[in-house]
Amino acid sequence: MVPEFQAIQDDYPDDFAHCYGCGRLNKDGLQLRTGWGKNDETVTLYHPRNSHIAIPGFVYGGLLASVVDCHGTGSAALMKHRLNGYEPGDDEPAPRFVTASLQLEYLKPTPHNVELMAIGKVEEIHPKKFKVHIQVFAGTEHCVTGEVVAVQAPSSFSRK
Amino acid sequence: MVPEFQAIQDDYPDDFAHCYGCGRLNKDGLQLRTGWGKNDETVTLYHPRNSHIAIPGFVYGGLLASVVDCHGTGSAALMKHRLNGYEPGDDEPAPRFVTASLQLEYLKPTPHNVELMAIGKVEEIHPKKFKVHIQVFAGTEHCVTGEVVAVQAPSSFSRK
């Protein structure tokens, strides 16, 4: 089920849409999608696969790291796109960010078989570098706190 | 191809062997294996799947986070097992650790289609809590620095 919101990943140029975490063109990947939520916060929703467990009943930490990672780069891209005057769905190629650093605190075991919701607040460090402060909820439980520093991808990363 | 070394994950009790990252009983997972290397360092080897890309040619950061995560818990378990008087392969159930915190610095893009090697140094914080300092290499290139704080899993995590 694809959530009913405009996601920044829908507007990544094809060359930047192969990410295992959030690439719409990576058929084996997680296909994470990140959009604007309330109060200038960013949102990513994801329902873990049956196999995404650490111990039966609890979500795998590496999957949570993947959600935080792509939520971070997606949130930075959303903000940069907005600062450039665009929103997702405007038919304008979105900027693409890569992760410089990733941090997670696992506050409690994350229950499995519940939708995950990552919420982000974006802080501009400089025009090509953003810090995203992230909370991950499983249902109503706040299970993970994360931080991503994301840097705009140099065009040399593209195959073109 | 399974590397020819004794891994701590081979000795996790079945109830703790379902992790998406390192559970030998998770058929869809990465089945990461962690053993002792040279100079009291720990080693995990992994060859990323074709789909594990961020951008074509470069490894996905969330996969690197997964390798660091399980290398951290595996390294802590190796050290605790040794402090208890055992080595992998001794036919003694290994202790199981969970991740309290995870940190990665992506020093440079990690080339894809090269074997990854995570190297860890384990520091005891207290008898049930270890910090693991990690470097990830793609071939000879040092691409990622990581740190994991791992805590011994309470027995209540087991289904038994």
Side-chain angles (χ1 to χ4, degrees):
Chain A
M1 288 235 308
V2 174
E4 296 295 330
F5 60 79
Q6 294 279 357
I8 192 73
Q9 288 88 356
D10 299 338
D11 294 346
Y12 288 164
D14 284 358
D15 269 8
F16 290 106
H18 296 275
C19 174
Y20 184 83
C22 65
R24 67 180 181 274
L25 302 179
N26 191 322
K27 67 179 172 45
D28 297 320
L30 309 176
Q31 304 206 340
L32 298 166
R33 301 175 74 253
T34 306
W36 287 111
K38 296 176 194 165
N39 306 321
D40 289 334
E41 289 175 340
T42 56
V43 180
T44 299
L45 301 173
Y46 184 67
H47 198 100
R49 298 175 189 166
N50 289 341
S51 61
H52 285 152
I53 53 172
I55 290 170
F58 299 106
V59 177
Y60 173 48
L63 185 270
L64 292 159
S66 296
V67 170
V68 166
D69 182 8
C70 288
H71 181 67
T73 52
S75 296
L78 275 169
M79 181 61 90
K80 180 69 180 180
H81 208 39
R82 178 170 282 183
L83 292 170
N84 287 342
Y86 303 107
E87 297 294 336
D90 279 355
D91 199 25
E92 177 69 24
R96 186 71 168 89
F97 280 72
V98 295
T99 309
S101 70
L102 174 65
Q103 249 182 280
L104 285 93
E105 304 282 331
Y106 298 93
L107 307 175
K108 57 171 79 169
T110 301
H112 193 237
N113 280 325
V114 180
E115 188 169 60
L116 302 177
M117 179 169 61
I119 300 286
K121 291 186 185 181
V122 187
E123 175 193 344
E124 183 173 340
I125 298 176
H126 74 63
K128 293 192 168 189
K129 189 173 184 179
F130 294 79
K131 184 182 282 189
V132 187
H133 305 272
I134 300 167
Q135 295 181 301
V136 184
F137 295 82
T140 57
E141 279 188 78
H142 177 205
C143 299
V144 171
T145 294
E147 197 178 278
V148 168
V149 175
V151 178
Q152 196 165 355
S155 57
S156 62
F157 269 33
S158 165
R159 283 184 297 185
K160 277 179 185 161
Chain B
M1 288 231 312
V2 174
E4 296 293 330
F5 61 77
Q6 294 280 356
I8 193 71
Q9 288 88 355
D10 298 339
D11 294 346
Y12 287 165
D14 284 359
D15 268 9
F16 291 106
H18 297 274
C19 173
Y20 185 83
C22 67
R24 65 179 183 277
L25 302 178
N26 192 321
K27 65 177 175 42
D28 297 320
L30 309 177
Q31 303 207 340
L32 298 166
R33 300 173 76 252
T34 307
W36 288 110
K38 297 176 193 163
N39 307 319
D40 289 334
E41 289 177 339
T42 56
V43 181
T44 298
L45 302 173
Y46 185 68
H47 199 100
R49 297 174 189 165
N50 289 340
S51 60
H52 285 154
I53 54 173
I55 290 168
F58 299 106
V59 177
Y60 172 48
L63 185 273
L64 291 159
S66 297
V67 170
V68 166
D69 183 6
C70 289
H71 181 67
T73 53
S75 297
L78 275 169
M79 181 60 90
K80 181 69 178 177
H81 207 40
R82 177 170 281 182
L83 291 169
N84 287 342
Y86 302 108
E87 296 295 336
D90 278 356
D91 199 24
E92 177 70 22
R96 186 72 168 87
F97 280 72
V98 295
T99 309
S101 71
L102 173 66
Q103 250 182 279
L104 285 93
E105 303 283 329
Y106 298 93
L107 307 175
K108 57 170 81 167
T110 299
H112 193 237
N113 280 326
V114 179
E115 187 169 59
L116 300 177
M117 179 169 61
I119 298 287
K121 291 186 185 179
V122 188
E123 175 193 344
E124 183 173 339
I125 298 175
H126 74 60
K128 292 191 168 187
K129 190 173 184 178
F130 294 80
K131 184 182 281 188
V132 186
H133 305 273
I134 299 166
Q135 295 182 303
V136 183
F137 294 83
T140 56
E141 278 189 77
H142 177 205
C143 298
V144 171
T145 294
E147 198 178 276
V148 168
V149 175
V151 177
Q152 196 165 354
S155 58
S156 63
F157 270 31
S158 166
R159 284 184 294 184
K160 281 182 184 162

